[in-house]
Amino acid sequence: MASGRVINLARFLGRAAEPAAAAQSSALQYSTVGGVAAYKLPDLPYDHSALEPVISGEIMELHHKKHHAAYVTNLNKALEEYADAESNKDLQKMISLQSAINFNGGGHINHDIFWTNLCPEKDAAPPSGELLAAIEAKWGSLEKFTATFSAKTAAVQGSGWGWLGLNKETKALEIATCANQDPLAAKGLVPLLGIDVWEHAYYLQYKNVRPDYLKAIWKVVNWENVAQRYKAAKA
Amino acid sequence: MARIISYMNRFVIVAAAASALLACSAQAQIQQVALPYALDALEPEIDNATMNFHYGTHYATYVNNTLAALKNATDSGVRLPVATSNLTALISSIKRLPSPLNTTIRNQGGGAWNHALYFKHLTPPGSPATQSTAISAPLRDAINANFGSVDNMTAALSAAAGKVFGSGWAWLCYTGNSSADLAITTTPNQDNPLMGQLPGAPAVSAAGCTPILGIDVWEHAYYLKHGPKRPAYLESFWKVLNWQQVSKNYDSAVQGLELDLSEAAPRALEAPSKAVSAGSSSSGSAGFGAMAAAAAALLAVV
């Protein structure tokens, strides 16, 4: 174990350490380099071109190897500076680093979930069992769910995410949207399925027609992964 | 009865738009700023494809959505505190607009205003207006007084633009504060310092100031050419910035005039308490664009 410098990212983001949030972020891979923990960019579970034609290989490469990678790099840098500031009892500096940790930590958490929420079209199957039952109970049908989700997510102003989450209190499924890289955990929901609507997620292919991207992406949603997250969240 | 009144309202609007069309001298509604350069003229700094989408689609959509929301409001008999043809007044008075119009004007009207300023102060690279010698003496004095030098200011504005997380804008603003009359600030999404400090929004430094220079850092402003590399876009931006226009913007701001976001001559800020319905604004440009807009208004209401 590193010399006490491993920082629980969920607690870091200023929220009470909800068990699910902590579990989510502790699932993030990190290594210790010279005694300091560094989060790692995860590999995609598929090739960059595997989501074509829904999401182009060009977008996936930039999104994963540039955008997500930058969140990880900047997160690690901010955490290292934070650890230094903490050991120097420099509270002012610690406070000034909060937003960098929020932005980049949130970016890392969100994209880590996102890659697993997607799969090649040929491997994608619609939801079934308990998850489907819960979706139908809440929205009437899968089609009504996806239409509602897409409409709310299309309406996000600027950069942000659309989410299907589980309310830990009520155990109910909910659709929510978040701005920028704000983590869903802040709304008391466990993230199950996230769709990135920052322009970098779709612009090269869909230009400003975000609704077309949101219509197409359902073809590559990995409902099996969503179901696994649902099961874990209910536990 | 309501139908008769609404029919009469439509007749009035149509008559007003028709007289505007015939007069050919009234700016009947908000419209996109006319560009004094071709969409490919900013190559290689800002690429043709980006200009096509950014001006032709994104900006156009903001304007259309703004017009639709205003039409909806006036058709429903909502009385607004400012003329619907005056985008600057709408933005500045946003806290006095009724809900949900205020949200639409914030997002769509803000988009329309911001992009008008942006596109109007770009110009082909290499043209004299891009040289720092094109900065007016008063603006240069103000920049030197506030930042030490033009280079210091552009570096600080680029740094601010680079730090914007998510979608937003970086601004050089006129504050009206005689001891520090220029300020750099940033706003998220399509917010604009003229809107003031909006409830629930992150703190905006120099809230209420008048932008004279704006850098769009939404990804759509640069992604097609630069991908994630915002700094490369920022370098290009300075090569196509029209300092003459920025100087005019400063001059208008200092005089308390609205920025010239069209081909119209600057006009004094309208008294905010006047409630004016669509199509009855005074002054305006006598260009083809205005006639086309008036014709569009005519077609839109029937």
Side-chain angles (χ1 to χ4, degrees):
Chain A
M1 181 73 164
S3 54
R5 296 181 109 189
V6 177
I7 295 163
N8 179 306
L9 192 56
R11 213 180 73 227
F12 223 86
L13 296 175
R15 326 295 168 203
E18 285 198 21
Q24 287 296 332
S25 59
S26 67
L28 296 172
Q29 306 159 43
Y30 63 86
S31 59
T32 47
V33 180
V36 180
Y39 285 91
K40 278 178 51 176
L41 180 71
D43 289 329
L44 297 187
Y46 35 76
D47 286 344
H48 289 94
S49 57
L51 304 187
E52 301 228 359
V54 175
I55 305 180
S56 69
E58 190 188 11
I59 286 180
M60 291 300 287
E61 283 216 44
L62 284 169
H63 203 174
H64 175 236
K65 289 175 19 182
K66 299 287 180 201
H67 291 275
H68 187 179
Y71 290 129
V72 173
T73 301
N74 293 336
L75 171 63
N76 289 334
K77 180 160 169 285
L79 288 174
E80 203 180 316
E81 288 180 38
Y82 189 94
D84 277 343
E86 203 172 14
S87 60
N88 293 333
K89 307 268 185 291
D90 185 349
L91 190 53
Q92 212 44 53
K93 179 99 187 162
M94 288 160 66
I95 289 169
S96 73
L97 287 163
Q98 299 265 341
S99 57
I101 293 169
N102 283 355
F103 293 156
N104 294 295
H108 181 33
I109 287 175
N110 294 339
H111 288 84
D112 183 76
I113 295 170
F114 187 48
W115 309 133
T116 68
N117 282 161
L118 306 174
C119 66
E121 196 172 347
K122 61 176 169 60
D123 300 332
S128 58
E130 285 187 33
L131 176 58
L132 180 62
I135 288 172
E136 286 174 339
K138 175 96 188 210
W139 288 283
S141 67
L142 181 63
E143 290 65 39
K144 286 194 194 142
F145 161 71
T146 59
T148 306
F149 186 109
S150 293
K152 289 191 173 180
T153 304
V156 168
Q157 291 299 320
S159 307
W161 289 73
W163 290 99
L164 172 65
L166 183 81
N167 186 317
K168 277 299 264 187
E169 306 286 315
T170 65
K171 303 289 187 197
L173 291 177
E174 288 181 26
I175 292 172
T177 58
C178 294
N180 295 336
Q181 297 297 349
D182 294 352
L184 186 67
K187 299 195 171 186
L189 299 173
V190 178
L192 306 181
L193 168 65
I195 304 294
D196 188 350
V197 288
W198 282 61
E199 283 173 326
H200 64 239
Y202 60 88
Y203 201 79
L204 291 178
Q205 198 174 343
Y206 295 91
K207 306 298 186 299
N208 66 307
V209 197
R210 193 191 269 179
D212 281 359
Y213 159 70
L214 288 169
K215 193 158 174 229
I217 200 161
W218 294 106
K219 298 181 194 165
V220 291
V221 165
N222 182 350
W223 283 107
E224 204 184 300
N225 176 266
V226 181
Q228 282 166 10
R229 291 179 180 276
Y230 178 57
K231 190 170 165 196
K234 281 197 300 177
Chain B
M1 183 62 178
R3 279 174 64 195
I4 293 168
I5 289 175
S6 121
Y7 177 83
M8 286 174 66
N9 281 346
R10 281 170 194 256
F11 181 78
V12 166
I13 292 168
V14 168
S19 64
L21 174 60
L22 291 170
C24 259
S25 63
Q27 191 164 298
Q29 63 179 15
I30 294 159
Q31 55 185 337
Q32 282 187 269
V33 72
L35 294 186
Y37 51 82
L39 288 173
D40 63 354
L42 305 187
E43 289 267 9
E45 304 304 336
I46 300 186
D47 57 301
N48 188 20
T50 295
M51 288 298 287
N52 266 313
F53 283 109
H54 202 181
Y55 181 87
T57 305
H58 289 273
Y59 177 21
T61 303
Y62 286 123
V63 171
N64 292 336
N65 289 346
T66 303
L67 293 172
L70 290 169
K71 178 180 185 308
N72 239 323
T74 46
D75 282 356
S76 323
V78 173
R79 286 189 73 80
L80 299 178
V82 297
T84 58
S85 56
N86 190 333
L87 184 56
T88 301
L90 284 164
I91 298 301
S92 306
S93 313
I94 199 155
K95 288 179 189 163
R96 296 192 289 128
L97 298 180
S99 171
L101 181 65
N102 55 353
T103 301
T104 311
I105 294 300
R106 176 186 186 175
N107 294 325
Q108 308 301 321
W113 198 100
N114 298 342
H115 288 85
L117 179 85
Y118 180 76
F119 287 115
K120 183 119 179 146
H121 70 17
L122 300 180
T123 195
S127 56
T130 62
Q131 306 304 311
S132 67
T133 43
I135 302 174
S136 70
L139 177 56
R140 181 178 292 277
D141 287 346
I143 291 174
N144 289 340
N146 285 276
F147 302 98
S149 68
V150 172
D151 283 349
N152 283 358
M153 186 279 285
T154 60
L157 187 50
S158 286
K163 288 206 191 89
V164 171
F165 191 77
S167 308
W169 291 74
W171 309 101
L172 177 68
C173 289
Y174 175 73
T175 64
N177 180 343
S178 55
S179 56
D181 72 338
L182 289 178
I184 286 174
T185 190
T186 63
T187 50
N189 298 337
Q190 295 299 347
D191 288 357
N192 176 306
L194 285 171
M195 297 177 183
Q197 183 59 57
L198 293 169
V204 175
S205 66
C209 68
T210 301
I212 62 171
L213 196 178
I215 309 183
D216 188 350
V217 290
W218 281 61
E219 286 170 328
H220 65 241
Y222 58 90
Y223 210 81
L224 291 179
K225 182 178 166 79
H226 297 286
K229 296 180 189 157
R230 195 189 287 178
Y233 157 68
L234 295 173
E235 258 194 66
S236 279
F237 174 82
W238 294 110
K239 296 182 184 162
V240 291
L241 181 68
N242 184 337
W243 284 109
Q244 272 174 15
Q245 184 60 46
V246 177
S247 300
K248 282 188 201 165
N249 292 344
Y250 176 70
D251 192 53
S252 297
V254 166
Q255 290 182 63
L257 300 173
E258 281 172 19
L259 298 194
D260 175 13
L261 296 180
S262 67
E263 293 174 295
R267 60 183 172 197
L269 290 163
E270 285 192 16
S273 56
K274 247 180 4 184
V276 183
S277 57
S280 63
S281 61
S282 55
S283 83
S285 73
F288 179 77
M291 285 179 64
L298 178 61
L299 291 169
V301 298
V302 293

